[in-house]
Amino acid sequence: MSETASPDTDPGRRSLLPLPLAPLVGYVVKILAVLVIAYSTDRALEARQEAGESVTHTLQVLERTQQLLTLMIDAETGQRGFVLTKEDRYLEPYNNARDAVPARLQDLQSLVSDDAQQRGRLEELTQLIQRKMDELARTVELQRAGDSQRALQLIRSDTGQNAMERIRVVVSQIAAAEREQLAAREGEWQGLTDLSNTILWTGSILLLGLMVASVIMSSRDYRARE
């Protein structure tokens, strides 16, 4: 009885693979390695861009909050100078702050709109600033009416001082929260960068090994044909 040739050893049977198995596996591994390297590199670039945007965002929030605090200090200085001297020129810092504060608050609202905790702090800060500005306006009004005694009594009360102290606290809280978020984003970016570098070097070494193996196999086949 004659033996039936195995499909794997039948010389007349055409293989369904476009290449011999070993070279085909090598090419597939190379393609996968290139795709993984490209993906990890792209992800690291995205993380770097996000980190840059986070730095810009944090700097903007810090700048706006510091500007608000400076404006409130200037407003208080102008108010006290006017009450003590009764000269309108001392009201310039107060008037400038009164006009500029709403725009700074609006800028901050747009910057922290995606953060619920920061929005809560900003709402408190807005209320405190409004309370302080009302107190400043009241003293200026009393001084203009010639009631210097009541204006001084209002300045010496704890209302304005407590509001300013709380304004400083909330401004510090907003700034600290932004710095914490920035540190977390930078840590994530650094982790992704390290992972990308690891994948890049590992993939490069793997590709190099596959290329060397391909050269060896091609040389061996060439010699065999010779």
Side-chain angles (χ1 to χ4, degrees), residues 78-216:
Q79 167 240 26
R80 293 186 178 184
F82 174 70
V83 170
L84 292 174
T85 65
K86 302 179 183 180
E87 295 183 12
D88 287 343
R89 63 189 178 91
Y90 283 95
L91 279 179
E92 183 177 355
Y94 164 78
N95 293 330
N96 292 337
R98 182 190 59 193
D99 296 338
V101 162
R104 296 295 178 271
L105 286 173
Q106 187 175 2
D107 290 343
L108 270 176
Q109 288 175 354
S110 62
L111 287 171
V112 302
S113 59
D114 59 345
D115 190 324
Q117 292 183 344
Q118 291 288 65
R119 288 201 309 270
R121 296 185 183 100
L122 182 57
E123 290 176 2
E124 181 183 1
L125 180 61
T126 302
Q127 295 174 0
L128 290 168
I129 289 177
Q130 185 61 52
R131 186 189 312 169
K132 180 61 180 177
M133 294 303 294
D134 290 343
E135 180 257 339
L136 295 176
R138 179 59 178 161
T139 57
V140 171
E141 180 183 350
L142 289 171
Q143 180 61 40
R144 287 192 182 279
D147 197 346
S148 301
Q149 187 65 28
R150 289 183 61 189
L152 288 172
Q153 288 177 354
L154 185 56
I155 291 176
R156 294 191 183 103
S157 68
D158 294 336
T159 303
Q161 181 179 357
N162 291 340
M164 279 300 296
E165 290 178 354
R166 186 59 189 168
I167 286 172
R168 288 186 174 91
V169 170
V170 177
V171 166
S172 298
Q173 290 175 347
I174 293 175
E178 285 296 323
R179 292 190 181 98
E180 288 179 1
Q181 292 179 7
L182 176 61
R185 290 164 182 161
E186 288 179 340
E188 179 182 0
W189 168 76
Q190 186 60 50
L192 287 172
T193 300
D194 293 341
L195 177 61
S196 175
N197 290 334
T198 300
I199 294 176
L200 178 61
W201 283 105
T202 302
S204 299
I205 293 173
L206 177 61
L207 287 174
L208 180 61
L210 291 173
M211 291 174 63
V212 172
S214 297
V215 171
I216 294 175

Side-chain angles (χ1 to χ4, degrees), residues 38-56:
Y39 173 79
S40 62
T41 302
D42 181 69
R43 189 68 187 90
L45 291 175
E46 289 181 0
R48 185 172 299 177
Q49 181 178 359
E50 292 173 359
E53 293 174 353
S54 299
V55 171
T56 301

